[in-house]
Amino acid sequence: MLLVLADEHKEHLGFLNEVEVEVVKEFCRIAMEFIRSGPNPKLYQSAAQKLGVASETVQHGVEGLMFLLTESARYMISEIDFQDSIMTLGFSDDLRSVLLQLYLSNRGEIRTVLSEMSMDLPHYHNLEWRLEVTVAGRTLRHQVTPRLMMKLHTQDSGEKDVQVLQTDPVNLLHLTQVLEGALSEMKSTHCRRIVRNIK
Amino acid sequence: MRFRFCGDLDCPDWVLAEISILSKLTSVKMKLLCVQVVKDLLGQSIDYDKVHKLTADAKYEAGDVKASIAALSFILCSAAKYQVDGDSLSNELQQLGLPKEHSSSLCKTYADNLGNLQAQFMRQSLKLSQLESAEWRVDYILSSSELQDVQEPMVQLRLRVRNPDTGNVVPHSFTMTADKFRLFLSELKQAHQVMEGLAL
């Protein structure tokens, strides 16, 4: 599929055409750093001073480049489609090949970063457990009651939560049987058929 | 195959795969890498520069470095957890395919640090909130808005409780009359007696 670029986006990227290929490579590196760790306004200032243009133009150029890369990575477009999409920008051949190289070499990394940004539900982080025996209480002495105490740590988009749970051995056995049943469900013919079709 | 250091279960597949990668290191470098991993398990930070220098000769990629550290921590952790002695660990690792010099250097490091590792794991075991300190104060109430002549002693207790997950210390204060306090104290003394009976 072809990427359709908005007019404003084309304007921002048009700036890249006016500078040399080396500078564009530098911008590509800055755009990848932006994707990895966030914007760095000081870099824009120094680059703008060196090139003799407004720092806003530099910022738009880098952001436009970054947006082009993330959109292409998101839709996982092929080389030919990528080249056709940037054809409309009127870049020179070297520039187009530089951009293509950038896209191909960083596509995997960009997709990993994008996948981490998706919606998160609370997921398993850690389970601590300990086995203990209650020997006496305020109301009853000389008892032997085994118990398993568990602390379930879950994480939800950076926030950690802790649940303290307790079970007796019979329930623990039942719990493990249910969970093992769930795991073996993956080996059933129905699930195998679906997994084969996804791959 | 059942291994004692895996708790009489099968050795995980990924550890088996890492054994061949670990064999690429020389046994001296293996010992130094083990020392770094033990430092990490004891809670001190690992020096990644040293690790990279050690693995550079064997031309480890970034994934291999991570995998070898993970495999070594698993082996050392589970061996300490199931209280396997150095010789049995060495035998079992050789059965898995780790060369003799590597197994012996790993087991020597393990045997030297076994006591420390077990103490650290004991400290890290599941704990609910812990009592940090207890403070008390006895007041004598002379009178109040309800009754002019009260003349009663009251004890105020403040228990500072530490939450092991967040490390915060939360104070809990409450007051008790003399009778309630007598009851409280005798209950605690009975619980103490039961604990003394169990203590070895």
Side-chain angles (χ1 to χ4, degrees), chain A residues 128 130 135-136 138 141 149 151 153 162 164, chain B residues 124-128 164-165 187 190 194 198:
Chain A
E128 296 174 71
R130 79 178 180 203
V135 291
R138 180 170 169 266
R141 304 293 158 84
M149 168 131 25
K151 216 188 240 186
H153 296 255
V162 176
V164 180
Chain B
Q124 279 175 346
S125 294
L126 172 57
K127 280 189 163 67
L128 296 174
D165 298 317
E187 298 284 346
Q190 286 172 27
V194 177
L198 286 172

mmCIF file with all atom_site columns, all heavy atoms in Angstrom, chain A residues 128 130 135-136 138 141 149 151 153 162 164, chain B residues 124-128 164-165 187 190 194 198:
data_model
loop_
_atom_site.group_PDB
_atom_site.id
_atom_site.type_symbol
_atom_site.label_atom_id
_atom_site.label_alt_id
_atom_site.label_comp_id
_atom_site.label_asym_id
_atom_site.label_entity_id
_atom_site.label_seq_id
_atom_site.pdbx_PDB_ins_code
_atom_site.Cartn_x
_atom_site.Cartn_y
_atom_site.Cartn_z
_atom_site.occupancy
_atom_site.B_iso_or_equiv
_atom_site.pdbx_formal_charge
_atom_site.auth_seq_id
_atom_site.auth_comp_id
_atom_site.auth_asym_id
_atom_site.auth_atom_id
_atom_site.pdbx_PDB_model_num
ATOM 1   N N   . GLU A 1 128 ? 6.016  -14.486 44.558 1.00 0.00 ? 128 GLU A N   1
ATOM 2   C CA  . GLU A 1 128 ? 6.795  -15.033 45.662 1.00 0.00 ? 128 GLU A CA  1
ATOM 3   C C   . GLU A 1 128 ? 5.866  -15.912 46.462 1.00 0.00 ? 128 GLU A C   1
ATOM 4   O O   . GLU A 1 128 ? 4.694  -15.596 46.605 1.00 0.00 ? 128 GLU A O   1
ATOM 5   C CB  . GLU A 1 128 ? 7.278  -13.907 46.575 1.00 0.00 ? 128 GLU A CB  1
ATOM 6   C CG  . GLU A 1 128 ? 8.227  -12.928 45.953 1.00 0.00 ? 128 GLU A CG  1
ATOM 7   C CD  . GLU A 1 128 ? 8.503  -11.798 46.914 1.00 0.00 ? 128 GLU A CD  1
ATOM 8   O OE1 . GLU A 1 128 ? 9.194  -12.044 47.912 1.00 0.00 ? 128 GLU A OE1 1
ATOM 9   O OE2 . GLU A 1 128 ? 7.995  -10.693 46.683 1.00 0.00 ? 128 GLU A OE2 1
ATOM 10  N N   . ARG A 1 130 ? 5.579  -18.737 50.073 1.00 0.00 ? 130 ARG A N   1
ATOM 11  C CA  . ARG A 1 130 ? 6.227  -19.437 51.177 1.00 0.00 ? 130 ARG A CA  1
ATOM 12  C C   . ARG A 1 130 ? 5.233  -20.401 51.795 1.00 0.00 ? 130 ARG A C   1
ATOM 13  O O   . ARG A 1 130 ? 4.023  -20.141 51.823 1.00 0.00 ? 130 ARG A O   1
ATOM 14  C CB  . ARG A 1 130 ? 6.782  -18.463 52.201 1.00 0.00 ? 130 ARG A CB  1
ATOM 15  C CG  . ARG A 1 130 ? 5.790  -17.898 53.143 1.00 0.00 ? 130 ARG A CG  1
ATOM 16  C CD  . ARG A 1 130 ? 6.455  -16.996 54.147 1.00 0.00 ? 130 ARG A CD  1
ATOM 17  N NE  . ARG A 1 130 ? 5.471  -16.465 55.060 1.00 0.00 ? 130 ARG A NE  1
ATOM 18  C CZ  . ARG A 1 130 ? 5.630  -15.354 55.752 1.00 0.00 ? 130 ARG A CZ  1
ATOM 19  N NH1 . ARG A 1 130 ? 6.730  -14.668 55.623 1.00 0.00 ? 130 ARG A NH1 1
ATOM 20  N NH2 . ARG A 1 130 ? 4.680  -14.942 56.563 1.00 0.00 ? 130 ARG A NH2 1
ATOM 21  N N   . VAL A 1 135 ? 0.917  -23.165 64.085 1.00 0.00 ? 135 VAL A N   1
ATOM 22  C CA  . VAL A 1 135 ? 0.993  -24.106 65.209 1.00 0.00 ? 135 VAL A CA  1
ATOM 23  C C   . VAL A 1 135 ? 0.073  -23.713 66.346 1.00 0.00 ? 135 VAL A C   1
ATOM 24  O O   . VAL A 1 135 ? -0.366 -24.559 67.120 1.00 0.00 ? 135 VAL A O   1
ATOM 25  C CB  . VAL A 1 135 ? 2.431  -24.262 65.725 1.00 0.00 ? 135 VAL A CB  1
ATOM 26  C CG1 . VAL A 1 135 ? 3.261  -24.976 64.708 1.00 0.00 ? 135 VAL A CG1 1
ATOM 27  C CG2 . VAL A 1 135 ? 3.050  -22.934 66.066 1.00 0.00 ? 135 VAL A CG2 1
ATOM 28  N N   . ALA A 1 136 ? -0.199 -22.427 66.498 1.00 0.00 ? 136 ALA A N   1
ATOM 29  C CA  . ALA A 1 136 ? -1.072 -22.018 67.608 1.00 0.00 ? 136 ALA A CA  1
ATOM 30  C C   . ALA A 1 136 ? -1.662 -20.665 67.292 1.00 0.00 ? 136 ALA A C   1
ATOM 31  O O   . ALA A 1 136 ? -1.110 -19.892 66.521 1.00 0.00 ? 136 ALA A O   1
ATOM 32  C CB  . ALA A 1 136 ? -0.266 -21.944 68.901 1.00 0.00 ? 136 ALA A CB  1
ATOM 33  N N   . ARG A 1 138 ? -4.526 -17.430 69.135 1.00 0.00 ? 138 ARG A N   1
ATOM 34  C CA  . ARG A 1 138 ? -5.038 -16.935 70.400 1.00 0.00 ? 138 ARG A CA  1
ATOM 35  C C   . ARG A 1 138 ? -6.176 -17.818 70.890 1.00 0.00 ? 138 ARG A C   1
ATOM 36  O O   . ARG A 1 138 ? -6.322 -18.039 72.074 1.00 0.00 ? 138 ARG A O   1
ATOM 37  C CB  . ARG A 1 138 ? -5.521 -15.501 70.198 1.00 0.00 ? 138 ARG A CB  1
ATOM 38  C CG  . ARG A 1 138 ? -6.054 -14.898 71.437 1.00 0.00 ? 138 ARG A CG  1
ATOM 39  C CD  . ARG A 1 138 ? -6.292 -13.412 71.273 1.00 0.00 ? 138 ARG A CD  1
ATOM 40  N NE  . ARG A 1 138 ? -7.033 -12.928 72.407 1.00 0.00 ? 138 ARG A NE  1
ATOM 41  C CZ  . ARG A 1 138 ? -8.347 -12.809 72.455 1.00 0.00 ? 138 ARG A CZ  1
ATOM 42  N NH1 . ARG A 1 138 ? -9.055 -13.105 71.383 1.00 0.00 ? 138 ARG A NH1 1
ATOM 43  N NH2 . ARG A 1 138 ? -8.963 -12.397 73.537 1.00 0.00 ? 138 ARG A NH2 1
ATOM 44  N N   . ARG A 1 141 ? -4.854 -23.753 70.533 1.00 0.00 ? 141 ARG A N   1
ATOM 45  C CA  . ARG A 1 141 ? -3.462 -24.190 70.581 1.00 0.00 ? 141 ARG A CA  1
ATOM 46  C C   . ARG A 1 141 ? -3.339 -25.568 69.954 1.00 0.00 ? 141 ARG A C   1
ATOM 47  O O   . ARG A 1 141 ? -4.321 -26.218 69.670 1.00 0.00 ? 141 ARG A O   1
ATOM 48  C CB  . ARG A 1 141 ? -2.974 -24.274 72.037 1.00 0.00 ? 141 ARG A CB  1
ATOM 49  C CG  . ARG A 1 141 ? -3.117 -23.029 72.815 1.00 0.00 ? 141 ARG A CG  1
ATOM 50  C CD  . ARG A 1 141 ? -2.196 -21.935 72.276 1.00 0.00 ? 141 ARG A CD  1
ATOM 51  N NE  . ARG A 1 141 ? -2.681 -20.635 72.670 1.00 0.00 ? 141 ARG A NE  1
ATOM 52  C CZ  . ARG A 1 141 ? -2.415 -20.064 73.837 1.00 0.00 ? 141 ARG A CZ  1
ATOM 53  N NH1 . ARG A 1 141 ? -1.649 -20.681 74.703 1.00 0.00 ? 141 ARG A NH1 1
ATOM 54  N NH2 . ARG A 1 141 ? -2.923 -18.883 74.111 1.00 0.00 ? 141 ARG A NH2 1
ATOM 55  N N   . MET A 1 149 ? 1.399  -19.089 51.444 1.00 0.00 ? 149 MET A N   1
ATOM 56  C CA  . MET A 1 149 ? 1.157  -17.653 51.319 1.00 0.00 ? 149 MET A CA  1
ATOM 57  C C   . MET A 1 149 ? 1.859  -17.177 50.057 1.00 0.00 ? 149 MET A C   1
ATOM 58  O O   . MET A 1 149 ? 3.005  -17.538 49.809 1.00 0.00 ? 149 MET A O   1
ATOM 59  C CB  . MET A 1 149 ? 1.725  -16.959 52.555 1.00 0.00 ? 149 MET A CB  1
ATOM 60  C CG  . MET A 1 149 ? 1.789  -15.502 52.408 1.00 0.00 ? 149 MET A CG  1
ATOM 61  S SD  . MET A 1 149 ? 1.117  -14.523 53.740 1.00 0.00 ? 149 MET A SD  1
ATOM 62  C CE  . MET A 1 149 ? 1.215  -15.529 55.121 1.00 0.00 ? 149 MET A CE  1
ATOM 63  N N   . LYS A 1 151 ? 2.620  -13.871 47.176 1.00 0.00 ? 151 LYS A N   1
ATOM 64  C CA  . LYS A 1 151 ? 2.539  -12.446 46.875 1.00 0.00 ? 151 LYS A CA  1
ATOM 65  C C   . LYS A 1 151 ? 2.650  -12.326 45.368 1.00 0.00 ? 151 LYS A C   1
ATOM 66  O O   . LYS A 1 151 ? 3.676  -12.659 44.780 1.00 0.00 ? 151 LYS A O   1
ATOM 67  C CB  . LYS A 1 151 ? 3.707  -11.723 47.538 1.00 0.00 ? 151 LYS A CB  1
ATOM 68  C CG  . LYS A 1 151 ? 3.348  -10.356 48.053 1.00 0.00 ? 151 LYS A CG  1
ATOM 69  C CD  . LYS A 1 151 ? 4.556  -9.629  48.512 1.00 0.00 ? 151 LYS A CD  1
ATOM 70  C CE  . LYS A 1 151 ? 4.465  -9.260  49.962 1.00 0.00 ? 151 LYS A CE  1
ATOM 71  N NZ  . LYS A 1 151 ? 5.572  -8.427  50.384 1.00 0.00 ? 151 LYS A NZ  1
ATOM 72  N N   . HIS A 1 153 ? 2.976  -10.108 42.175 1.00 0.00 ? 153 HIS A N   1
ATOM 73  C CA  . HIS A 1 153 ? 3.324  -8.758  41.722 1.00 0.00 ? 153 HIS A CA  1
ATOM 74  C C   . HIS A 1 153 ? 2.847  -8.614  40.295 1.00 0.00 ? 153 HIS A C   1
ATOM 75  O O   . HIS A 1 153 ? 3.205  -9.434  39.443 1.00 0.00 ? 153 HIS A O   1
ATOM 76  C CB  . HIS A 1 153 ? 4.848  -8.569  41.728 1.00 0.00 ? 153 HIS A CB  1
ATOM 77  C CG  . HIS A 1 153 ? 5.454  -8.662  43.075 1.00 0.00 ? 153 HIS A CG  1
ATOM 78  N ND1 . HIS A 1 153 ? 5.890  -7.565  43.774 1.00 0.00 ? 153 HIS A ND1 1
ATOM 79  C CD2 . HIS A 1 153 ? 5.709  -9.713  43.871 1.00 0.00 ? 153 HIS A CD2 1
ATOM 80  C CE1 . HIS A 1 153 ? 6.397  -7.946  44.925 1.00 0.00 ? 153 HIS A CE1 1
ATOM 81  N NE2 . HIS A 1 153 ? 6.295  -9.248  45.018 1.00 0.00 ? 153 HIS A NE2 1
ATOM 82  N N   . VAL A 1 162 ? 0.668  -5.090  44.222 1.00 0.00 ? 162 VAL A N   1
ATOM 83  C CA  . VAL A 1 162 ? 0.977  -6.310  44.953 1.00 0.00 ? 162 VAL A CA  1
ATOM 84  C C   . VAL A 1 162 ? -0.308 -6.877  45.546 1.00 0.00 ? 162 VAL A C   1
ATOM 85  O O   . VAL A 1 162 ? -1.097 -6.152  46.124 1.00 0.00 ? 162 VAL A O   1
ATOM 86  C CB  . VAL A 1 162 ? 1.978  -6.014  46.092 1.00 0.00 ? 162 VAL A CB  1
ATOM 87  C CG1 . VAL A 1 162 ? 2.219  -7.261  46.896 1.00 0.00 ? 162 VAL A CG1 1
ATOM 88  C CG2 . VAL A 1 162 ? 3.272  -5.499  45.547 1.00 0.00 ? 162 VAL A CG2 1
ATOM 89  N N   . VAL A 1 164 ? -1.632 -9.967  48.128 1.00 0.00 ? 164 VAL A N   1
ATOM 90  C CA  . VAL A 1 164 ? -1.232 -11.051 49.024 1.00 0.00 ? 164 VAL A CA  1
ATOM 91  C C   . VAL A 1 164 ? -2.351 -12.088 49.025 1.00 0.00 ? 164 VAL A C   1
ATOM 92  O O   . VAL A 1 164 ? -3.513 -11.756 49.245 1.00 0.00 ? 164 VAL A O   1
ATOM 93  C CB  . VAL A 1 164 ? -0.989 -10.527 50.443 1.00 0.00 ? 164 VAL A CB  1
ATOM 94  C CG1 . VAL A 1 164 ? -0.572 -11.664 51.338 1.00 0.00 ? 164 VAL A CG1 1
ATOM 95  C CG2 . VAL A 1 164 ? 0.081  -9.465  50.434 1.00 0.00 ? 164 VAL A CG2 1
ATOM 96  N N   . GLN B 2 124 ? 15.590 -12.347 51.360 1.00 0.00 ? 124 GLN B N   1
ATOM 97  C CA  . GLN B 2 124 ? 14.664 -11.933 50.310 1.00 0.00 ? 124 GLN B CA  1
ATOM 98  C C   . GLN B 2 124 ? 13.364 -12.725 50.321 1.00 0.00 ? 124 GLN B C   1
ATOM 99  O O   . GLN B 2 124 ? 12.471 -12.435 49.545 1.00 0.00 ? 124 GLN B O   1
ATOM 100 C CB  . GLN B 2 124 ? 15.309 -12.159 48.934 1.00 0.00 ? 124 GLN B CB  1
ATOM 101 C CG  . GLN B 2 124 ? 16.247 -11.087 48.534 1.00 0.00 ? 124 GLN B CG  1
ATOM 102 C CD  . GLN B 2 124 ? 16.930 -11.455 47.242 1.00 0.00 ? 124 GLN B CD  1
ATOM 103 O OE1 . GLN B 2 124 ? 16.877 -12.607 46.805 1.00 0.00 ? 124 GLN B OE1 1
ATOM 104 N NE2 . GLN B 2 124 ? 17.564 -10.491 46.633 1.00 0.00 ? 124 GLN B NE2 1
ATOM 105 N N   . SER B 2 125 ? 13.266 -13.756 51.176 1.00 0.00 ? 125 SER B N   1
ATOM 106 C CA  . SER B 2 125 ? 12.060 -14.590 51.171 1.00 0.00 ? 125 SER B CA  1
ATOM 107 C C   . SER B 2 125 ? 10.850 -13.745 51.499 1.00 0.00 ? 125 SER B C   1
ATOM 108 O O   . SER B 2 125 ? 10.954 -12.720 52.152 1.00 0.00 ? 125 SER B O   1
ATOM 109 C CB  . SER B 2 125 ? 12.169 -15.691 52.215 1.00 0.00 ? 125 SER B CB  1
ATOM 110 O OG  . SER B 2 125 ? 13.169 -16.561 51.861 1.00 0.00 ? 125 SER B OG  1
ATOM 111 N N   . LEU B 2 126 ? 9.703  -14.261 51.061 1.00 0.00 ? 126 LEU B N   1
ATOM 112 C CA  . LEU B 2 126 ? 8.460  -13.520 51.203 1.00 0.00 ? 126 LEU B CA  1
ATOM 113 C C   . LEU B 2 126 ? 8.259  -13.055 52.637 1.00 0.00 ? 126 LEU B C   1
ATOM 114 O O   . LEU B 2 126 ? 8.279  -13.827 53.573 1.00 0.00 ? 126 LEU B O   1
ATOM 115 C CB  . LEU B 2 126 ? 7.303  -14.433 50.805 1.00 0.00 ? 126 LEU B CB  1
ATOM 116 C CG  . LEU B 2 126 ? 5.925  -13.889 51.071 1.00 0.00 ? 126 LEU B CG  1
ATOM 117 C CD1 . LEU B 2 126 ? 5.730  -12.574 50.375 1.00 0.00 ? 126 LEU B CD1 1
ATOM 118 C CD2 . LEU B 2 126 ? 4.895  -14.868 50.554 1.00 0.00 ? 126 LEU B CD2 1
ATOM 119 N N   . LYS B 2 127 ? 8.073  -11.765 52.797 1.00 0.00 ? 127 LYS B N   1
ATOM 120 C CA  . LYS B 2 127 ? 7.777  -11.237 54.123 1.00 0.00 ? 127 LYS B CA  1
ATOM 121 C C   . LYS B 2 127 ? 6.630  -10.271 53.973 1.00 0.00 ? 127 LYS B C   1
ATOM 122 O O   . LYS B 2 127 ? 6.597  -9.478  53.052 1.00 0.00 ? 127 LYS B O   1
ATOM 123 C CB  . LYS B 2 127 ? 8.984  -10.466 54.670 1.00 0.00 ? 127 LYS B CB  1
ATOM 124 C CG  . LYS B 2 127 ? 10.055 -11.353 55.238 1.00 0.00 ? 127 LYS B CG  1
ATOM 125 C CD  . LYS B 2 127 ? 11.109 -10.524 55.946 1.00 0.00 ? 127 LYS B CD  1
ATOM 126 C CE  . LYS B 2 127 ? 11.943 -11.393 56.868 1.00 0.00 ? 127 LYS B CE  1
ATOM 127 N NZ  . LYS B 2 127 ? 12.765 -12.366 56.162 1.00 0.00 ? 127 LYS B NZ  1
ATOM 128 N N   . LEU B 2 128 ? 5.701  -10.365 54.887 1.00 0.00 ? 128 LEU B N   1
ATOM 129 C CA  . LEU B 2 128 ? 4.665  -9.336  54.919 1.00 0.00 ? 128 LEU B CA  1
ATOM 130 C C   . LEU B 2 128 ? 5.256  -8.180  55.715 1.00 0.00 ? 128 LEU B C   1
ATOM 131 O O   . LEU B 2 128 ? 6.434  -8.137  55.945 1.00 0.00 ? 128 LEU B O   1
ATOM 132 C CB  . LEU B 2 128 ? 3.409  -9.901  55.568 1.00 0.00 ? 128 LEU B CB  1
ATOM 133 C CG  . LEU B 2 128 ? 2.800  -11.047 54.770 1.00 0.00 ? 128 LEU B CG  1
ATOM 134 C CD1 . LEU B 2 128 ? 1.651  -11.647 55.526 1.00 0.00 ? 128 LEU B CD1 1
ATOM 135 C CD2 . LEU B 2 128 ? 2.309  -10.557 53.433 1.00 0.00 ? 128 LEU B CD2 1
ATOM 136 N N   . PRO B 2 164 ? 7.742  -4.174  53.044 1.00 0.00 ? 164 PRO B N   1
ATOM 137 C CA  . PRO B 2 164 ? 8.956  -4.621  52.344 1.00 0.00 ? 164 PRO B CA  1
ATOM 138 C C   . PRO B 2 164 ? 8.969  -4.281  50.858 1.00 0.00 ? 164 PRO B C   1
ATOM 139 O O   . PRO B 2 164 ? 10.018 -4.164  50.267 1.00 0.00 ? 164 PRO B O   1
ATOM 140 C CB  . PRO B 2 164 ? 8.956  -6.140  52.538 1.00 0.00 ? 164 PRO B CB  1
ATOM 141 C CG  . PRO B 2 164 ? 7.557  -6.483  52.862 1.00 0.00 ? 164 PRO B CG  1
ATOM 142 C CD  . PRO B 2 164 ? 6.965  -5.293  53.542 1.00 0.00 ? 164 PRO B CD  1
ATOM 143 N N   . ASP B 2 165 ? 7.776  -4.099  50.235 1.00 0.00 ? 165 ASP B N   1
ATOM 144 C CA  . ASP B 2 165 ? 7.775  -3.796  48.804 1.00 0.00 ? 165 ASP B CA  1
ATOM 145 C C   . ASP B 2 165 ? 8.214  -2.381  48.532 1.00 0.00 ? 165 ASP B C   1
ATOM 146 O O   . ASP B 2 165 ? 9.027  -2.116  47.672 1.00 0.00 ? 165 ASP B O   1
ATOM 147 C CB  . ASP B 2 165 ? 6.376  -3.990  48.217 1.00 0.00 ? 165 ASP B CB  1
ATOM 148 C CG  . ASP B 2 165 ? 5.946  -5.423  48.352 1.00 0.00 ? 165 ASP B CG  1
ATOM 149 O OD1 . ASP B 2 165 ? 6.782  -6.297  48.097 1.00 0.00 ? 165 ASP B OD1 1
ATOM 150 O OD2 . ASP B 2 165 ? 4.789  -5.646  48.714 1.00 0.00 ? 165 ASP B OD2 1
ATOM 151 N N   . GLU B 2 187 ? -1.585 -11.884 76.464 1.00 0.00 ? 187 GLU B N   1
ATOM 152 C CA  . GLU B 2 187 ? -1.716 -12.606 75.193 1.00 0.00 ? 187 GLU B CA  1
ATOM 153 C C   . GLU B 2 187 ? -0.383 -12.690 74.484 1.00 0.00 ? 187 GLU B C   1
ATOM 154 O O   . GLU B 2 187 ? 0.020  -13.739 73.980 1.00 0.00 ? 187 GLU B O   1
ATOM 155 C CB  . GLU B 2 187 ? -2.736 -11.906 74.285 1.00 0.00 ? 187 GLU B CB  1
ATOM 156 C CG  . GLU B 2 187 ? -4.128 -11.839 74.830 1.00 0.00 ? 187 GLU B CG  1
ATOM 157 C CD  . GLU B 2 187 ? -4.854 -13.158 74.738 1.00 0.00 ? 187 GLU B CD  1
ATOM 158 O OE1 . GLU B 2 187 ? -4.382 -14.056 74.012 1.00 0.00 ? 187 GLU B OE1 1
ATOM 159 O OE2 . GLU B 2 187 ? -5.871 -13.298 75.418 1.00 0.00 ? 187 GLU B OE2 1
ATOM 160 N N   . GLN B 2 190 ? 1.843  -15.190 76.078 1.00 0.00 ? 190 GLN B N   1
ATOM 161 C CA  . GLN B 2 190 ? 1.512  -16.580 75.715 1.00 0.00 ? 190 GLN B CA  1
ATOM 162 C C   . GLN B 2 190 ? 2.062  -16.920 74.339 1.00 0.00 ? 190 GLN B C   1
ATOM 163 O O   . GLN B 2 190 ? 2.625  -18.005 74.137 1.00 0.00 ? 190 GLN B O   1
ATOM 164 C CB  . GLN B 2 190 ? -0.002 -16.770 75.723 1.00 0.00 ? 190 GLN B CB  1
ATOM 165 C CG  . GLN B 2 190 ? -0.574 -16.829 77.108 1.00 0.00 ? 190 GLN B CG  1
ATOM 166 C CD  . GLN B 2 190 ? -2.087 -16.824 77.066 1.00 0.00 ? 190 GLN B CD  1
ATOM 167 O OE1 . GLN B 2 190 ? -2.681 -17.265 76.082 1.00 0.00 ? 190 GLN B OE1 1
ATOM 168 N NE2 . GLN B 2 190 ? -2.702 -16.335 78.114 1.00 0.00 ? 190 GLN B NE2 1
ATOM 169 N N   . VAL B 2 194 ? 4.839  -19.865 73.212 1.00 0.00 ? 194 VAL B N   1
ATOM 170 C CA  . VAL B 2 194 ? 4.727  -20.867 72.149 1.00 0.00 ? 194 VAL B CA  1
ATOM 171 C C   . VAL B 2 194 ? 5.939  -20.779 71.234 1.00 0.00 ? 194 VAL B C   1
ATOM 172 O O   . VAL B 2 194 ? 6.509  -21.794 70.825 1.00 0.00 ? 194 VAL B O   1
ATOM 173 C CB  . VAL B 2 194 ? 3.430  -20.665 71.337 1.00 0.00 ? 194 VAL B CB  1
ATOM 174 C CG1 . VAL B 2 194 ? 3.353  -21.653 70.203 1.00 0.00 ? 194 VAL B CG1 1
ATOM 175 C CG2 . VAL B 2 194 ? 2.226  -20.806 72.231 1.00 0.00 ? 194 VAL B CG2 1
ATOM 176 N N   . LEU B 2 198 ? 9.093  -23.544 70.280 1.00 0.00 ? 198 LEU B N   1
ATOM 177 C CA  . LEU B 2 198 ? 9.448  -24.017 68.943 1.00 0.00 ? 198 LEU B CA  1
ATOM 178 C C   . LEU B 2 198 ? 10.886 -23.722 68.582 1.00 0.00 ? 198 LEU B C   1
ATOM 179 O O   . LEU B 2 198 ? 11.464 -24.378 67.740 1.00 0.00 ? 198 LEU B O   1
ATOM 180 C CB  . LEU B 2 198 ? 8.567  -23.335 67.899 1.00 0.00 ? 198 LEU B CB  1
ATOM 181 C CG  . LEU B 2 198 ? 7.131  -23.821 67.834 1.00 0.00 ? 198 LEU B CG  1
ATOM 182 C CD1 . LEU B 2 198 ? 6.362  -22.930 66.907 1.00 0.00 ? 198 LEU B CD1 1
ATOM 183 C CD2 . LEU B 2 198 ? 7.099  -25.241 67.343 1.00 0.00 ? 198 LEU B CD2 1
#
